[in-house]
Amino acid sequence: RLDFTLAANYNRLEIVGAVKTSSELSGLADSYLQPWDRLRIEQNNPRSKYTATATYAIGKFSAMLRGVRFGEVTLQPGEAFGVRQTYSPQFVTDLSITYQVAKGLSLTAGANNLFDQYPDFQLPDNSYLGVFRYPPIQQGMNGAYYFGRATFQF
């Protein structure tokens, strides 16, 4: 049996108007929502994400292949350091193969981000003196993830 799934997200988040505070915090609103905080809320996540998944099952075996495209992201770390940076769209591939050992027991081997893709390098001003080469956005900053899994169903 062969199945296909397509999914798409388009998100737009915008802060409208001034920050409203209680009378006790009057005049302090900007210290709670700095310009970089606004940018983080509005543009820290990809505006678009597209996913295509194919699953194939035959007998006791099944396989899943998935491609995910993450849209671009813009970040600015903060006022004291860093500069605004836009990261290009990214594409990752996931793959897993499952064997049904017995009723209620299956074993899976797989990979998330199979081809070890990373986001764009951070600019030197944004990397905490070179400590963080990649930002923790889109597909993450750790590259490929390979796994084995046993699933028990009762």
Side-chain angles (χ1 to χ4, degrees):
R1 177 180 170 169
L2 180 62
D3 290 315
F4 293 99
T5 303
L6 297 174
N9 288 6
Y10 181 79
N11 307 297
R12 184 179 174 119
L13 180 61
E14 183 177 356
I15 298 171
V16 179
V19 176
K20 296 179 178 151
T21 61
S22 66
S23 59
E24 291 86 6
L25 300 175
S26 180
L28 298 174
D30 286 340
S31 62
Y32 291 101
L33 189 66
Q34 300 285 335
W36 56 85
D37 293 321
R38 186 179 292 260
L39 182 67
R40 188 175 298 124
I41 291 169
E42 293 178 340
Q43 296 182 28
N44 189 47
N45 293 308
R47 192 161 277 173
S48 62
K49 179 180 175 184
Y50 307 107
T51 305
T53 305
T55 55
Y56 181 71
I58 185 168
K60 293 185 171 204
F61 287 94
S62 62
M64 183 277 303
L65 177 65
R66 175 175 44 235
V68 182
R69 184 212 181 258
F70 299 91
E72 76 176 24
V73 171
T74 301
L75 295 176
Q76 182 169 348
E79 181 178 355
F81 60 90
V83 295
R84 183 179 289 210
Q85 182 176 355
T86 299
Y87 301 89
S88 63
Q90 299 292 316
F91 184 84
V92 296
T93 304
D94 302 333
L95 175 68
S96 66
I97 298 172
T98 300
Y99 178 69
Q100 187 75 38
V101 177
K103 184 177 180 180
L105 173 62
S106 62
L107 301 175
T108 302
N112 292 337
N113 193 355
L114 177 65
F115 300 113
D116 202 25
Q117 299 298 306
Y118 289 85
D120 298 340
F121 283 111
Q122 294 200 93
L123 296 172
D125 288 346
N126 296 341
S127 67
Y128 296 89
L129 303 174
V131 173
F132 300 106
R133 295 174 61 184
Y134 305 102
I137 57 170
Q138 296 160 313
Q139 75 269 29
M141 61 185 196
N142 295 322
Y145 174 76
Y146 304 99
F147 63 91
R149 175 177 60 227
T151 303
F152 301 94
Q153 295 177 331
F154 301 101

